[in-house]
Amino acid sequence: MAANSLMDVIGGTPAVWLDRMVAARGLEGRILAKLDYLNPGFSKKDRAARGIIEAAEADGELAPGQTVVELTSGNMGTGLAIVCGLKGYPFVAVMSRGNSVERARMMAALGAEVVLVDQLPGSVPGQVSGGDLAEVDRVAREIVTARGAFRADQFHHAGNTRAHYETTGPEMWADSDRSLTVFVDFAGSGGTYAGTVRALKARSPDLRGYVVEPEGAEALAGRSVLSPDHPIQGGGYAISVLEFLKTCPVDGYLSVSGAAARDAARALAREEGIFGGFSAGANAAAALELLAGPERGGVIGIVICDSGLKYLSTDLWGLD
């Protein structure tokens, strides 16, 4: 039956086994990929966007017709543009110019007002650092104050991680026929990891969760940040503390280089027909590393966070 609104088709995405990739590398075990790039906004952030707005409505934080503002690398902004548009809230997306242009164009097409913030001097286009994110946050705060807006605040609002606890985790457990032994996720706000791993551990206490960061920017793992700039957009901001991970179980930390994430994203496309982005590649690379090492023979769950269509202007899909 047809849905009454696009809101009703957020989540419930399909999942597939990456048996071809695993077999091609001579590894033992399985990887389950949750295809969240098939959400309406082409990313997992649609879940969090709906979760935050609906929670804010229920709690009275968000008034009818009030403007919503949020910093974004593009995915949360796209999700919020859809949700706010359907619910009648003006939305302002604040994003670094270091993110791919496709994201800004998509948000604008969906009715968002997009404010682009210049990167810090010396920053590399396509590589958004923690410093760049801090500048975006400063601009977002100014807009919230000037317009009396509601700040969606994906790094702190409980609606983010709750959405993944209530939907992503249970869906992945069912998709795997209750066989997952590991969940691994590239850290942005930490909402996906925290919500999903809590839901999975509630069903299987022995399940292990791993957080992925870019090589050279492993702040969450407690290492010195040697290279805060990297091409894996949407996370890895070299922030040492994420609100959602403060009390969340983490069984291990992994690092993935930009090159490894790129190679894995391309392999997903060629070998499995999955056209994902950089963070999807990071998740796949980390899962393969685990099967080659401490989780040999395990059943690992990952999320295909967003679509490769959002990176056509980057070197992820450059012809070489």
Side-chain angles (χ1 to χ4, degrees), residues 94-281:
V94 189
M95 188 174 80
S96 170
R97 290 187 184 275
N99 289 297
S100 58
V101 67
E102 292 90 341
R103 296 164 178 241
R105 291 174 178 171
M106 185 173 181
M107 288 187 290
L110 289 166
E113 177 185 342
V114 181
V115 176
L116 296 177
V117 180
D118 290 336
Q119 291 183 273
L120 298 176
S123 294
V124 180
Q127 300 185 13
V128 179
S129 68
D132 291 328
L133 185 67
E135 182 65 9
V136 174
D137 181 62
R138 181 188 66 79
V139 173
R141 290 175 185 273
E142 290 180 352
I143 296 172
V144 168
T145 299
R147 304 195 188 186
F150 167 73
R151 173 72 183 270
D153 201 5
Q154 62 177 299
F155 280 78
H156 298 92
H157 199 288
N160 177 351
T161 189
R162 187 185 307 147
H164 294 290
Y165 178 82
E166 293 177 350
T167 67
T168 312
E171 287 174 25
M172 292 189 74
W173 187 242
D175 291 338
S176 73
D177 195 22
R178 302 181 295 177
S179 67
L180 289 183
T181 60
V182 176
F183 177 67
V184 59
D185 195 55
F186 181 72
S189 69
T192 304
Y193 174 82
T196 303
V197 83
R198 284 186 185 280
L200 291 171
K201 281 180 175 284
R203 290 159 172 80
S204 178
D206 292 333
L207 180 139
R208 291 168 295 284
Y210 292 84
V211 170
V212 183
E213 297 181 273
E215 186 176 273
E218 302 102 316
L220 293 170
R223 299 174 190 165
S224 298
V225 177
L226 304 176
S227 180
D229 299 328
H230 59 85
I232 311 175
Q233 296 182 30
Y237 298 118
I239 300 172
S240 60
V241 179
L242 291 175
E243 182 69 28
F244 297 130
L245 299 187
K246 283 182 178 178
T247 59
C248 181
V250 179
D251 296 294
Y253 294 89
L254 300 170
S255 63
V256 172
S257 69
R262 183 183 299 111
D263 289 346
R266 292 176 176 181
L268 279 168
R270 291 192 307 267
E271 299 173 32
E272 299 284 1
I274 296 172
F275 194 50
F278 265 116
S279 53

Side-chain angles (χ1 to χ4, degrees), residues 27-28 210 254 285-298 300:
L27 300 174
E28 296 179 20
Y210 292 84
L254 300 170
L288 291 167
E289 180 182 332
L290 286 171
L291 287 185
E295 299 294 345
R296 178 179 178 182
I300 302 176

